[in-house]
Amino acid sequence: MTSDIAFIRSHRFGEVEDRLATQLEIAFGAGNVALCVDESRGSVDTGRWPKARLTRDRAEGMVGGTVPDDWGWRMGDLCHIAIAEDFGPRRHQWLIESDVHVPAGQEDAIFGRLNAITADFMACALRPKKVKPMAVGVATALPSAGWGCIFALNRLSGRHVPAVRQLRRDIRAAIAAGAKVQTPNDEAVLANLGVALDWTMVDLWAAMPDMFSHRWFDTNPPSLRRELDAQTGSLRVSHPVLEVDQVFRRLEAPRTEGHPQAYKVSRLGRILAAMTPEEKARVMKHLQPASDTGL
C-alpha cells in the first residue's frame, strides 16, 4: 500500500472546505488529499481538489440494496469505501468532516503526533456505550452493538475497508430478510466491527487529551469558527464548528444543510455567546424553546 490519504467528508464545497484541504495538504503532501462529496443534490465542483462522488445509486450498489433517505448523514463509512475504490489502497484513510476545525499553523504538529499512533482504527469517544436504536442494527451481523465513537475525525487502516463493505452488505441483507431494525449509523458500524475483528483501536480523548477533549470535540454544542480562528498557538482540534452563514442557513431552511434535524436554543449557547447583538437577534427569531432536547 502507498502513503496515507486524508479526505474531507462534505455535501458542499466552499471556502471552509478549500481551506481545510489546504491545511491537510501541508501535513499529508500533494496528491494525498481529496474530498468525498454527497452529490445526491447534484454535482459539486471541488476546484483543484480530486473527489470521490457518492450518490444514492452508488450507495445502494455498495450495500447491495436500498438505503434510508438520510443515508448521506447516517452512513459516513461509505466514504471510506468510495475513497478506497477511487484512489486505490492506502496504508491509512483519514476521514475529516468539514465542520472540524484544525488550528492554522499547527497542521504538522497535530498530524505528526497522530501519525505516531499505531492502530487499525482511531476516533474520539471510541468506547463502550449505551445501545441506541440507530446502533442496534449492527447486531444483525456482529456479536454486539455496544460500542460507539464520534465519527467526525477518524483514521482507518486501508486493509480493513473490504470488511466494512461486507458488514454493510450483511446488515442490508438482514433488514431485507425482515430484521426490524434501523440502518445503523457509521460510528456503530466501525466501532463494533473493530471489536468483533479484534482491531487495535485508540480513543483519541484518552490518547491525546490536550488535542481532543469532550469539552471541545464532541457531537454538540457547536462553536463559531471565527472565534477559534482568532485563537493562536493552540493544538486543540474542535468539532462541531460552524460559520455564521451556516447557522443562518440551518435555521432558515431546516434539514437542507446535510443534517435531518433543526437547531434548538439549548444547543447554541457557544454560538450565541460569540455573535454580535445583530446576529444573535436574527438567530433568536428562529430558535425553538430551550426545553426542546433535539439538536
Side-chain angles (χ1 to χ4, degrees), residues 34-39 50-54 58 79 82-83 86-87:
L35 284 93
C36 184
V37 186
D38 173 2
E39 293 196 341
K51 67 179 178 180
R53 300 175 61 251
L54 272 178
R58 187 174 187 185
C79 291
I83 287 291
D86 293 357
F87 294 92

Side-chain angles (χ1 to χ4, degrees), residues 31-238:
N32 296 318
V33 177
L35 284 93
C36 184
V37 186
D38 173 2
E39 293 196 341
S40 56
R41 299 174 181 84
S43 180
V44 176
D45 182 357
T46 57
R48 73 181 181 93
W49 305 105
K51 67 179 178 180
R53 300 175 61 251
L54 272 178
T55 62
R56 176 180 288 273
D57 284 348
R58 187 174 187 185
E60 290 182 342
M62 288 175 176
V63 306
T66 58
V67 293
D69 289 342
D70 64 354
W71 64 270
W73 170 73
R74 185 186 296 244
M75 303 174 75
D77 51 296
L78 300 188
C79 291
H80 276 297
I81 300 172
I83 287 291
E85 288 180 346
D86 293 357
F87 294 92
R90 299 292 186 111
R91 184 184 63 160
H92 296 126
Q93 298 185 172
W94 299 73
L95 182 153
I96 299 101
E97 295 182 352
S98 58
D99 59 351
V100 168
H101 181 270
V102 177
Q106 302 296 331
E107 299 87 359
D108 281 335
I110 289 168
F111 288 102
R113 286 178 60 187
L114 291 173
N115 267 318
I117 298 174
T118 300
D120 293 309
F121 180 61
M122 62 186 190
C124 289
L126 182 53
R127 57 186 63 180
K129 63 187 297 185
K130 180 180 179 180
V131 179
K132 296 182 178 181
M134 202 176 286
V136 71
V138 298
T140 62
L142 296 176
S144 171
W147 276 62
C149 66
I150 297 171
F151 203 75
L153 186 152
N154 69 77
R155 190 188 76 187
L156 176 66
S157 172
R159 64 192 177 95
H160 294 312
V161 173
V164 178
R165 179 200 295 274
Q166 188 59 53
L167 176 56
R168 277 296 186 188
R169 297 181 74 85
D170 291 345
I171 293 169
R172 179 64 253 169
I175 293 173
K180 303 300 183 184
V181 295
Q182 297 183 27
T183 297
N185 61 7
D186 37 36
E187 61 186 56
V189 165
L190 284 188
N192 289 288
L193 181 61
V195 172
L197 298 185
D198 199 28
W199 293 351
T200 54
M201 302 203 300
V202 171
D203 178 357
L204 293 174
W205 278 358
M208 298 284 179
D210 61 322
M211 294 184 355
F212 298 92
S213 166
H214 67 89
R215 298 195 304 276
W216 58 80
F217 197 106
D218 209 332
T219 54
N220 269 300
S223 298
L224 203 58
R225 186 174 298 276
R226 71 182 181 210
E227 181 182 35
L228 297 181
D229 284 343
Q231 301 173 9
T232 59
S234 172
L235 291 178
R236 292 183 176 183
V237 181
S238 304

